[in-house]
Amino acid sequence: DRRRDTPAAGSPIQPIIKDVGEVYSRLLDHRPVIQGEIRYFVKEFEEKRGLRELRVLENLKNTIFETNERVLPKCEQAMQDNLSETFKRLQAANAMIHRLQEKECEARKLQADKVMAREEKCIAHWEEFTKEQQNKRAEVDEEHRKAMERLKEQYSEMEKELAKYVSF
């Protein structure tokens, strides 16, 4: 039954509830204090800072406008002039490098042709040398064969003469 009963308007518990609500709002409810601090901050900010931000923004706008209208076109023109000159120099350098590469390629080709000619000449000399060596070998072999025949004849004659003397 007690749960269903609500305290009456004139009950002694009413002032205690009111005091607890007041203590709660003073100790735990910070909204009024925060709102007061916010109002104070905004008031101080507006009074002390004044139109300084507006002047800074205006100066920035003027600087940006001057940069867009005067400095940027000058920079673009200087860049275009320098880029075209740089491009011409690069083309000239590229042409010179191309000519150097062609000369180097020709020099390599000439060198390769010289090497090939030397190799062919060496091969021809080698073949001539081997033929000459074969001819000399054939000559030496022929002389050796003739010398062997002469020696055989000489020894056979010596044997015949020896055979004459052995019979004594």
Side-chain angles (χ1 to χ4, degrees), residues 60-91:
L60 272 173
K61 185 181 106 180
N62 291 338
T63 304
I64 290 171
F65 180 76
E66 183 178 336
T67 302
N68 284 339
E69 293 297 317
R70 294 185 187 131
V71 176
L72 191 60
K74 287 179 185 177
C75 289
E76 285 177 355
Q77 185 62 37
M79 185 177 67
Q80 287 297 329
D81 293 344
N82 290 334
L83 280 179
S84 63
E85 185 175 329
T86 304
F87 184 70
K88 288 176 186 175
R89 287 183 182 177
L90 283 174
Q91 284 179 331

Side-chain angles (χ1 to χ4, degrees), residues 96-110:
M96 287 180 5
I97 288 172
H98 186 65
R99 284 192 300 258
L100 285 173
Q101 284 178 335
E102 286 177 354
K103 286 180 183 178
E104 187 176 323
C105 185
E106 289 174 8
R108 284 184 186 167
K109 187 177 179 185
L110 287 174

